[in-house]
Amino acid sequence: MSAPERIPPRSVTTAEVLTRGELTVRGQIRDASNAVLQCSVAYDGQEVLCVYKPVRGERPLWDFPDGTLAQREVAAYEVSEATGWGLVPPTVLRDGPYGEGMCQLWIEGAPGSELLALVDAEEPESGWKAIGLAEVGEGRTALLVHADDERLRRLAVLDAVINNADRKGGHLLPAEGGRLYGIDHGVTFNAENKLRTLLWGWAGEPLTGEAVEVLKGLKDALAGQLAARLAGLITPAELDATRARVDALLETGKHPEPSGEWPAIPWPPV
């Protein structure tokens, strides 16, 4: 009699660990504007570190509905996944020690090439893109630049789609293996144009062929399953505005430029 076939153990995804695992608070990130807690989360023999942002710890904003920032963080992750670029760490909405909130995989930053710099010059050197002039004290200014980096360019496209109102330098996390993640997406998906970012270096330039294909895929996804997932996270007007931004990017074929109706660069920039 032959031995019974051994069924290999099921692989548990990071999203399952974040969603179903037991959250244990390890500490608080003090310099954040909203309540941000570092936690461990354990499930089915796996344990990871994560960021937990409870809705009750969100500071009210005049231009976003109260208690919606956590949902917007999850929506940004869903759109990022639909692009195939994986620019946002796994993010879920779940209950925790302080109520419902956003739970996101903790990314440990890795040292690597510089992404931002201040230079004493009128034009950026090769490999860099100009953002604008910044005051550096005593009446002096310097040119703020970002790297002409494919990863940043993808992130600039994602930010244009999700209408990111707060892409600061501190929200860019280089990770092991050359990966780059963007974090802190609570102020996104507004129906009005709120794009504020440090990644203006490609403003007005043609989108890459890759970006155009990704946007075509997003357009289709926003008519199907992605739209269904976003419908529980943002308002119908915000979902329609997201579709309109994708359509506009495909129609112009270019990276967006500052509108002039809203500060183009977040403050503080880092």
Side-chain angles (χ1 to χ4, degrees), residues 70-136:
Q71 291 93 323
R72 295 169 193 278
E73 295 240 30
V74 179
Y77 167 70
E78 292 287 355
V79 174
S80 169
E81 287 300 284
T83 66
W85 285 334
L87 295 169
V88 179
T91 312
V92 302
L93 195 66
R94 59 161 293 166
D95 195 28
Y98 299 102
E100 185 179 61
M102 179 278 282
C103 187
Q104 183 178 83
L105 181 68
W106 178 274
I107 300 298
E108 197 67 46
S113 58
E114 293 295 323
L115 299 175
L116 298 168
L118 280 169
V119 296
D120 188 12
E122 295 183 358
E123 297 291 336
E125 295 181 356
S126 177
W128 294 88
K129 289 286 189 177
I131 302 168
L133 294 174
E135 294 185 6
V136 292

Side-chain angles (χ1 to χ4, degrees), residues 137-252:
E138 300 180 355
R140 295 176 55 247
T141 60
L143 186 64
L144 182 61
V145 298
H146 67 67
D148 188 2
D149 187 299
E150 178 186 67
R151 301 168 301 171
L152 289 181
R153 191 164 190 173
R154 290 172 174 172
L155 197 56
V157 174
L158 176 66
D159 283 344
V161 171
I162 68 177
N163 198 15
N164 192 351
D166 197 32
R167 175 61 72 204
K168 297 177 179 177
H171 299 167
L172 305 172
L173 291 183
E176 295 291 346
R179 292 288 300 272
L180 177 70
Y181 291 100
I183 61 169
D184 285 347
H185 297 106
V187 286
T188 50
F189 294 99
N190 200 299
E192 298 181 12
N193 182 8
K194 299 281 188 180
L195 185 60
R196 292 195 305 172
T197 176
L198 286 178
L199 304 180
W200 287 117
W202 298 282
E205 293 188 14
L207 296 166
T208 65
E210 177 196 44
V212 170
E213 291 305 310
V214 164
L215 289 167
K216 288 178 180 177
L218 270 182
K219 181 181 175 70
D220 293 340
L222 285 167
Q225 293 185 354
L226 177 60
R229 292 195 294 273
L230 294 181
L233 301 167
I234 58 178
T235 69
E238 289 166 343
L239 182 53
D240 286 343
T242 303
R243 294 189 181 102
R245 288 191 295 271
V246 172
D247 288 343
L249 287 166
L250 286 170
E251 182 177 348
T252 65

